[in-house]
Amino acid sequence: MGARSKARKRAVDLLYEAGLRGEDPVTLLAGRIGSPDVPPINDYTVTLVEGVTAHRARIDELLTEHAEGWTLQRMPAVDLAVLRLGLYELLWAQDVPDAVAIDEAVHLAKVLSTDDSPRFVNGVLGRIGMIADRLR
C-alpha cells in the first residue's frame, strides 16, 4: 500500500472516530500529532482531515443531493467518512485525478465496510464525478 493510500485510510479512521465521538476532526487530529502514543501522522492525512473539515457543509450538501434514497444519518458511519474523504479529493485535491479519488474511496469501502458499500460509494461519487467540473 502506497503512502497516500495509507494516509487516506488514517484520515478515514480519524474522521470516523471524530464522528462517533461527536468531536471536531481537526481537534482530534491535533491531539494526536506529536503524541508518543500513536505512530507519526503523514502530512497528507493532515491535509485530508483539514480539507474535509473545511468543506464539510458543501460536502454534506452534495452527498445529500446525490445519495439517492439515503440521508446522511442513515448511512453507515464508515461509509460517510469514506464518502466525505472521496468527495473532498474529487473536488478540491487538484493533484488527484477524479478516477483515482473514486477508486481509492471504493477501495477503502471494500477494506473497511460492508459488501454493499463499494458499489454504493462508487455510485454516489460517480454521479458527482460526472458533474465535478461544474462544481469546482
Side-chain angles (χ1 to χ4, degrees):
M1 183 183 292
R4 280 216 164 174
S5 293
K6 288 179 185 175
R8 287 179 184 98
K9 183 185 179 307
R10 188 94 181 264
V12 167
D13 291 345
L14 287 161
L15 293 168
Y16 171 75
E17 181 181 348
L20 288 182
R21 292 177 176 226
E23 294 181 20
D24 174 65
V26 174
T27 303
L28 179 67
L29 175 66
R32 304 279 169 85
I33 293 175
S35 170
D37 299 329
V38 297
I41 296 175
N42 181 301
D43 289 343
Y44 195 58
T45 298
V46 174
T47 297
L48 292 171
V49 171
E50 289 176 346
V52 168
T53 303
H55 296 281
R56 173 127 173 233
R58 181 66 175 139
I59 288 169
D60 286 357
E61 178 184 307
L62 289 167
L63 291 175
T64 299
E65 287 176 33
H66 296 280
E68 298 171 356
W70 287 83
T71 63
L72 298 180
Q73 296 76 21
R74 189 170 161 239
M75 288 180 198
V78 173
D79 293 0
L80 184 55
V82 168
L83 283 165
R84 284 175 172 155
L85 182 134
L87 189 48
Y88 169 76
E89 282 197 304
L90 186 64
L91 296 181
W92 289 280
Q94 296 176 0
D95 62 337
V96 178
D98 291 358
V100 171
I102 294 169
D103 287 347
E104 288 286 332
V106 169
H107 174 73
L108 285 167
K110 283 180 186 175
V111 171
L112 299 173
S113 198
T114 69
D115 290 342
D116 294 329
S117 294
R119 188 169 13 105
F120 175 66
V121 167
N122 188 55
V124 173
L125 293 180
R127 279 190 290 282
I128 296 170
M130 288 191 293
I131 60 167
D133 288 337
R134 287 188 288 153
L135 298 172
R136 289 187 181 105

